[in-house]
Structure formats: C-alpha cells, structure tokens
Amino acid sequence: MEDYNKILESLSIKFTSLRNVKVLQPHKVFNFYDFENTLILVHNGEISTENGQVTAGQGDLMFIPAGKTITISFGKGNFTELQQEKYLVEKNKYVSYTKERVPALNPEGSYSVLSFEAKIFDSVNFYSSLDIPPFLIKERPAIVNLILDTIKEEFTEMPGKERIKKCNTEKIVLDIFRYILDNKIFIEKLATNLNYFKDPRLIDIFNFIKTNLGGDLSNRVLANVANVSEDYVGQYFKSMTGINPQDYIEYQRMEKSVGLLRTTKKSIREIGIEVGYKDTAYFCRRFKMMFGISAGKMRKRESLVRA
C-alpha cells in the first residue's frame, strides 16, 4: 500500500473537458482513440465496447484509459458503422453537444464525457502505463456525484469554478484507482506495471524525453541520460515498459502535437518542428497513420467540439 501511495502522490492530474452529449442516431466507431483518459457517465441508453463485451447502461460509468484503440457503440438499434476518420469529420450527424447544467434524457441515448490527464512525474500516462483495457464502473455514487457537480461548475460563471473542477477531477482519478483495488480487478497487472516506476534511471529518461521532445532523442542520447550503454538502453527500456524507446518517444511527440493543435494557433509546420519533426510532410504522414485523420482535420474537429 505504501508503494501505491508514493505513485499516487506523484500524479499530476489535469481536468481537460466535460461535455454533455446527445446521441442523434446509433453508431459504432472503429479505431476509437484518444490521448486523454475518458470517463463516460450514461444518463440514458447504452454504450458498448468490442461488440458488447463491456456495456454501460443508465447510471453506469465506462472508463477508457488514454491511448487505447477500441471499437465503441453509442445507442441501441441499427448502428451506422464508421471508421474513426469519418466519424471525426461527420460527428455532428451522430451526436450533439449541450450546455445543460442538468443533463436531459434522450431516447437515443445521452451521456456526459469527462476527459482528463493523470501523469506520473508529469511524464507518463498513469492508467495507460497499467496496460488495462476499458472497464465498467457500477454502483459508484461518489464518482457519479462528482461528475454531476463538475457539470454544474462547467456551465456556471461563479468564481472558483476552475479550482472546483480540478479538485473534483483529482478525487475522481483517485476513486477510479480505489475501485480497481476494491473490486480486485487487474491486480496482477497493477503490481507488475507499477514496479518500473521504482527505478530512478527510468524516471530520468522519462523526464528528459518530456523536456526535450523537439531535440535529439536517439538511443545514444538516452543511454547517456541513464548512464548505460547505447546497445543496452533499448533493451533496458523495453524490459521495463513493454515498448521500445523510439515508439514511446513518437507517442509523446504526437500527444504534445494534439495538445498544441487544441490550444494554440501555431501552424502545423511550427507544431511539427516543436515536437521534433523537421520534415513537415513526414510529420503529417506519421500523424495520419496514428490517428487516421490529418492534423488539419483534427484541429477543425477540436474547434467544433470545444466551441
């Protein structure tokens, strides 16, 4: 338990967005993916993953860890099947976003979506690092009430709203972890995947990558950071995390590029350079390969969602 406390104390937690959504027509999305953790509270209707393997009904919560690629269905009945790229471009045909302090029920389905970051040492996505699949949270009124309270704060202009949203999100993140422990799910994965955060060399690599995304992050450089040989650093990193360092670096670069698309007016070329891609065309190819959508369309999609 002491190890868990150390990890949880190291978490950097950030509220990103909270949206009330109405389903306009039932749909299934293949290759659904986001860099942020997604927690969905179902007010009415159903949400299912992987052909019904996990189904959330009224009052249930579905948690999708950051970076997980899944198939997800919204609503009941005859689904329109969509690849993620088409869904992102045509999303307003299938869902609408509302600004209601009390989410309305909708026959086709209605739900609230909380997006947040939870990073260990402000570097590594916590729930992604546990390598757990999306899962259902049932009969957890504490989390439901926190989301409902956060909805009220999101759509008010009272002072202190940002602080309350942040505090509520921190409580939600910790209670999701407690839910895992209380229900004894993913316990072996938890024990195994939290172990690597005990190695200070790995933490040094994580921190160096985070602060030098636009620079040289070759294995030679990482080996110097960890004080190991260049031949060994790739093997060491993969043995601890399950992925090779260059794949992890690209993930971090793409994550930051999405953040810059969402929060700045920088050109796609400027963003590519900032995250370590001098060749804009190559950056755009890698971006579309990862997300199934171009950087330009991603920016347009985000501006519509957050308007």
Side-chain angles (χ1 to χ4, degrees):
M1 196 61 66
E2 183 180 350
D3 287 341
Y4 290 155
N5 284 329
K6 287 179 180 178
I7 294 296
L8 295 176
E9 285 297 319
S10 76
L11 283 182
S12 170
I13 299 168
K14 177 184 175 184
F15 169 90
T16 304
S17 67
L18 180 59
R19 304 183 297 276
N20 291 327
V21 183
K22 289 182 180 178
V23 178
L24 302 179
Q25 56 178 299
H27 54 284
K28 177 184 289 187
V29 183
F30 299 97
N31 302 319
F32 182 91
Y33 182 94
D34 204 324
F35 271 120
E36 293 165 345
N37 300 284
T38 303
L39 182 63
I40 305 174
L41 169 60
V42 180
H43 302 297
N44 201 34
E46 285 187 359
I47 297 174
S48 302
T49 66
E50 309 301 338
N51 297 317
Q53 290 180 12
V54 180
T55 299
Q58 186 171 350
D60 293 338
L61 298 137
M62 180 177 290
F63 180 61
I64 306 171
K68 287 291 180 184
T69 301
I70 63 170
T71 297
I72 187 165
S73 303
F74 299 91
K76 297 179 180 179
N78 295 321
F79 295 107
T80 300
E81 297 187 346
L82 304 154
Q83 294 294 327
Q84 169 104 332
E85 178 176 9
K86 186 174 182 181
Y87 178 60
L88 293 179
V89 174
E90 301 180 354
K91 203 168 186 179
N92 60 352
K93 293 182 182 179
Y94 303 99
V95 297
S96 65
Y97 298 95
T98 68
K99 295 185 177 181
E100 300 162 334
R101 294 186 68 189
V102 179
L105 298 181
N106 184 54
E108 297 294 341
S110 56
Y111 51 94
S112 296
V113 185
L114 172 67
S115 297
F116 62 88
E117 291 182 0
K119 293 188 174 182
I120 299 177
F121 304 108
D122 200 28
S123 299
V124 184
N125 279 312
F126 175 53
Y127 287 107
S128 300
S129 71
L130 301 181
D131 191 30
I132 57 178
F135 63 92
L136 187 65
I137 299 175
K138 295 180 72 70
E139 298 178 0
R140 204 68 172 187
I143 299 179
V144 172
N145 290 335
L146 283 167
I147 290 177
L148 294 176
D149 185 61
T150 307
I151 291 169
K152 292 178 182 178
E153 293 299 325
E154 179 73 350
F155 302 120
T156 186
E157 296 306 319
M158 293 295 289
K161 61 180 283 186
E162 297 303 324
R163 186 67 177 269
I164 291 175
K165 289 192 297 183
K166 182 178 185 296
C167 290
N168 284 353
T169 304
E170 289 179 341
K171 290 178 182 177
I172 288 168
V173 170
L174 297 178
D175 205 44
I176 292 171
F177 188 75
R178 288 181 174 182
Y179 182 87
I180 292 172
L181 295 179
D182 290 345
N183 290 274
K184 296 180 172 57
I185 54 176
F186 316 124
I187 295 300
E188 289 185 11
K189 282 181 174 286
L190 206 64
T192 301
N193 291 298
L194 286 180
N195 275 336
Y196 67 76
F197 291 111
K198 299 175 184 178
D199 191 322
R201 295 176 300 175
L202 191 63
I203 302 307
D204 287 343
I205 292 177
F206 285 146
N207 287 331
F208 184 83
I209 290 171
K210 177 178 180 291
T211 55
N212 294 276
L213 278 177
D216 181 3
L217 292 175
S218 62
N219 281 6
R220 176 182 58 79
V221 172
L222 298 183
N224 289 334
V225 172
N227 197 26
V228 297
S229 73
E230 183 178 351
D231 290 337
Y232 176 65
V233 70
Q235 177 186 338
Y236 161 74
F237 190 94
K238 187 168 184 177
S239 70
M240 298 293 282
T241 66
I243 59 174
N244 70 58
Q246 296 309 314
D247 285 344
Y248 172 81
I249 289 164
E250 181 165 61
Y251 178 91
Q252 294 299 312
R253 284 174 164 160
M254 289 299 171
E255 180 181 35
K256 184 172 181 180
S257 71
V258 171
L260 292 170
L261 285 168
R262 287 172 171 170
T263 60
T264 74
K265 294 183 178 180
K266 293 180 179 180
S267 69
I268 291 171
R269 179 178 179 275
E270 289 173 319
I271 290 172
I273 291 172
E274 186 168 336
V275 299
Y277 295 88
K278 294 182 174 62
D279 185 334
T280 304
Y282 180 70
F283 166 66
C284 290
R285 285 198 302 273
R286 296 303 300 171
F287 190 98
K288 187 168 185 179
M289 186 174 293
M290 178 165 285
F291 299 109
I293 186 173
S294 70
K297 286 182 179 178
M298 173 75 81
R299 169 169 272 167
K300 183 179 180 181
R301 188 280 304 243
E302 290 299 326
S303 66
L304 289 173
V305 169
R306 296 168 191 269

